[in-house]
Amino acid sequence: MHLTLDVIALGAPEVPAARGFYATVFSPAVTDGGDGGDSVGLDLHGTAQFELSVTDRIAADTGADPATSGFRGYLLTSTFDQPTEVTTLMDAAARSGAQVLKPAKKALFGSFSGVFRAPDGALWKLAAATGKDTGPAAQSPRPTETTVILGVAAPKASATFYRALGMTVDRDYGSKYIDFHPAKAAARLCLMERGVLARDAGTGKAGDGFPAMVLTHTAASRDDVDALLTAAAAAGGHVTAAAQTPGGDYCGHFIDPDGFWWKVTH
């Protein structure tokens, strides 16, 4: 039994519009979901796998109320080689309808970053580890890593929950920041105190309801699905038992102690 973050499902009011936005900004590989346009897959250059779906649909699949307000509690972060690449993509996002929450500029400790809210409501931070270009910038910038940072009440307690499900901590800065080793070609999962994360994103920490995001693990067998759900319940998560879907998959869901949704499927 080993929980991995394999796919991030993002909800959007209109999938075609969201697809167009992300295609323009990040130039990912796009895979149609084969369901009449209700979903589409995005491969962010081998650093993360996303599925865009209508928000009402992913909420219904999990049994959640789709209503949401304020800060959704997470921040998607993509890291690039150079500041110019960050600026290029921030400008592309703004031209495509994103709201800039933090203009791209040099940050503390020599890094360079900016934050925007995508038209679908997701918050994105684009960052470079250095504040100065070291060579020609790529015409089509590609991220070196993508993470999803969850805003939690207590990172140490949240990390204990995820370790109980088999995740392996990579970097542990105590109550400030904890992350886990990512799966191959998938996003890294990170934990940060909610108020600190909101400030980093340039927004207030107030907000509640469905976050329009479901983290997905693809299990090797039905037994693994059941084992992970059992472990989630024992560790303090709220679990919906697995069942076979009309499409033939076997899946269940759990909500972690901080209110983030997971789908476990085979």
Side-chain angles (χ1 to χ4, degrees):
M1 182 195 71
H2 177 61
L3 180 69
T4 55
L5 172 55
D6 300 314
V7 179
I8 300 171
L10 292 179
E14 297 181 359
V15 171
R19 171 181 177 165
F21 174 81
Y22 288 113
T24 298
V25 177
F26 292 114
S27 302
V30 180
T31 305
D32 289 322
D35 51 8
D38 286 343
S39 67
V40 64
L42 305 177
D43 179 345
L44 202 57
H45 305 290
T47 67
Q49 308 298 318
F50 290 91
E51 181 182 80
L52 302 178
S53 296
V54 177
T55 303
D56 288 354
R57 173 182 170 178
I58 64 170
D61 286 346
T62 59
D65 183 336
T68 185
S69 64
F71 181 41
R72 295 181 180 181
Y74 70 88
L75 177 65
L76 297 162
T77 302
S78 280
T79 304
F80 296 86
D81 286 330
Q82 304 196 88
T84 297
E85 296 175 347
V86 171
T87 301
T88 296
L89 295 188
M90 287 290 297
D91 290 345
R95 289 194 303 269
S96 298
Q99 177 190 6
V100 175
L101 299 182
K102 283 189 172 182
K105 64 179 182 179
K106 191 173 181 179
L108 293 175
F109 309 113
S111 61
F112 188 91
S113 64
V115 180
F116 66 81
R117 178 180 284 111
D120 60 27
L123 297 185
W124 285 83
K125 179 179 181 178
L126 309 184
T130 175
K132 182 181 293 187
D133 290 337
T134 57
Q139 284 189 327
S140 297
R142 296 188 173 190
T144 57
E145 184 174 74
T146 296
T147 67
V148 55
I149 308 175
L150 306 183
V152 300
K156 286 186 177 181
S158 184
T160 297
F161 173 82
Y162 283 106
R163 280 198 297 263
L165 274 63
M167 298 194 86
T168 303
V169 170
D170 186 7
R171 295 168 292 194
D172 185 346
Y173 297 103
S175 60
K176 294 182 178 180
Y177 181 95
I178 300 172
D179 67 16
F180 302 90
H181 287 284
K184 185 177 180 180
R188 181 185 290 269
L189 180 68
C190 309
L191 308 170
M192 186 180 290
E193 195 276 323
R194 181 185 174 97
V196 174
L197 182 62
R199 287 195 296 274
D200 188 47
T203 188
K205 69 177 183 178
D208 57 21
F210 185 59
M213 178 184 73
V214 176
L215 307 176
T216 302
H217 168 77
T218 302
S221 68
R222 289 190 173 205
D223 287 345
D224 283 352
V225 171
D226 292 334
L228 276 168
L229 294 176
T230 298
H238 179 75
V239 170
T240 301
Q244 186 164 327
T245 69
D249 295 335
Y250 182 73
C251 71
H253 297 85
F254 69 83
I255 309 172
D256 78 2
D258 291 283
F260 293 101
W261 286 89
W262 281 81
K263 177 180 179 181
V264 183
T265 184
H266 170 66

